[in-house]
Amino acid sequence: MTITTTIGILNLMHDKLDTQKRFQEVLKFADPQVQIEFLYPVDHYLDRPVPELVAKISQPLAVNQVYRYDAFIITGAPLEQIDFEEVTYYDEIIALLEQLKTKRIPTLFVCWGAMVAMHHFYEIDKYPLANKLFGAYSHQITQPTALLKGLQSGFMAPHARYAEMDSDQIVATKDLVVNAVASNHRNFLLTSREFPFTFLFSHLEYGQRALLKEYQREVQATKSSPGLIARPVNYYMQLGEPVYHWQTVSQRFFENWLTQVKGEITI
């Protein structure tokens, strides 16, 4: 029997349209039949109109309706440098997290999404990095998981963040399994022993030019000299295009995650 999987994605990224295209591409490659609904946090627009583009490409989050989804994704967000509680829609996120936990919905938390979930569920602290973690890095598998099936230590994956979660607190948290870390000891993949939760600190949804576009956007936003903005490392050009180190890794990971999600679905 073919199982049609419906996934809700709370899109918190600044580049809304690009983010949707990226997740659609990686998820549809893994399963062409997957159904995806993109959502936005209602509380983020309480004092202003919802932007036309946001309203056109996504739906308002209805926390009490998340049971309709077979799985859920909370994306990253450009919020690592501010306290969780200062985020305008923090209470809405917490209500969502509690629903995902209560309904035991398989959830993939990406980058800031992983940070806020680990902070809420386990009281793990976030701290600023001296320099932005930015580029493609090599990784080591520390605890095998079906999510990394087909991959071996040394695989490349992209990171783009200004903060990290406290590793000592992570190790002391019995429910968390550290499945893989970057070669510089930064977080990559953690899973919960009790709940169908996956914490991914890499932007594996990023395509070939995503890191380049992020770099160009930050230069433009700050009006800085390109030399003052962190350049993505291990991300060199070949024949006029950035080298797409992690394409196979991304495909394998999302295939494995969807396979795991389908295993959670009861018919």
Side-chain angles (χ1 to χ4, degrees):
M1 178 183 295
T2 301
I3 300 175
T4 300
T5 308
T6 302
I7 299 176
I9 300 182
L10 185 64
N11 184 357
L12 305 176
M13 295 287 276
H14 41 274
D15 50 349
K16 304 293 186 189
L17 191 56
D18 279 350
T19 297
Q20 292 204 9
K21 289 178 179 177
R22 290 165 188 159
F23 275 105
Q24 284 175 327
E25 182 173 339
V26 295
L27 291 170
K28 289 287 187 179
F29 182 89
D31 179 2
Q33 303 304 316
V34 70
Q35 301 296 311
I36 307 170
E37 293 184 11
F38 290 95
L39 310 162
Y40 64 83
V42 175
D43 287 358
H44 192 43
Y45 303 106
L46 287 180
D47 59 351
R48 58 193 174 103
V50 177
E52 183 177 349
L53 174 63
V54 173
K56 180 179 180 181
I57 65 176
S58 54
Q59 306 171 32
L61 171 66
V63 171
N64 62 351
Q65 295 292 311
V66 296
Y67 66 85
R68 299 189 299 108
Y69 301 109
D70 298 310
F72 207 87
I73 296 174
I74 298 180
T75 73
L79 301 171
E80 316 101 286
Q81 295 174 293
I82 66 175
D83 292 340
F84 293 115
E85 292 77 6
E86 293 181 5
V87 175
T88 57
Y89 47 87
Y90 179 73
D91 290 343
E92 188 176 11
I93 289 285
I94 297 308
L96 171 61
L97 294 176
E98 283 301 307
Q99 279 295 303
L100 294 170
K101 179 180 177 180
T102 299
K103 303 300 183 183
R104 297 189 64 88
I105 296 173
T107 305
L108 174 62
F109 302 101
V110 181
C111 201
W112 185 85
M115 294 182 188
V116 71
M118 290 171 63
H119 175 71
H120 173 65
F121 291 134
Y122 309 113
E123 299 184 346
I124 295 175
D125 296 324
K126 170 171 64 72
Y127 65 91
L129 295 171
N131 298 293
K132 182 179 182 180
L133 184 67
F134 193 33
Y137 298 84
S138 173
H139 294 76
Q140 301 297 314
I141 297 174
T142 53
Q143 183 65 43
T145 168
L147 292 168
L148 299 176
K149 181 181 178 181
L151 300 178
Q152 297 180 343
S153 287
F155 67 86
M156 300 293 287
H159 291 260
R161 62 180 183 275
Y162 288 92
E164 185 64 293
M165 302 303 284
D166 188 287
S167 58
D168 290 336
Q169 292 178 326
I170 289 173
V171 171
T173 303
K174 294 181 179 180
D175 184 51
L176 288 175
V177 178
V178 179
N179 299 107
V181 296
S183 55
N184 56 6
H185 306 295
R186 297 303 181 192
N187 290 315
F188 173 75
L189 180 69
L190 298 93
T191 50
S192 166
R193 299 180 193 274
E194 182 178 357
F195 296 97
F197 291 164
T198 300
F199 306 90
L200 177 67
F201 284 83
S202 166
H203 281 283
L204 280 182
E205 81 279 8
Y206 273 14
Q208 183 174 9
R209 297 178 60 82
L211 290 174
L212 176 61
K213 292 178 73 172
E214 181 165 334
Y215 169 72
Q216 293 171 336
R217 183 172 58 250
E218 290 197 352
V219 170
Q220 180 64 30
T222 60
K223 306 297 183 184
S224 300
S225 164
L228 299 179
I229 299 296
R231 291 178 176 272
V233 301
N234 303 321
Y235 186 60
Y236 53 89
M237 305 292 284
Q238 191 173 76
L239 300 177
E241 290 291 336
V243 176
Y244 195 2
H245 292 295
W246 59 91
Q247 183 175 21
T248 299
V249 176
S250 174
Q251 292 171 350
R252 291 280 175 83
F253 176 82
F254 283 102
E255 287 173 353
N256 293 337
W257 183 68
L258 282 177
T259 297
Q260 187 178 83
V261 166
K262 290 179 180 179
E264 295 280 343
I265 298 174
T266 56
I267 302 175

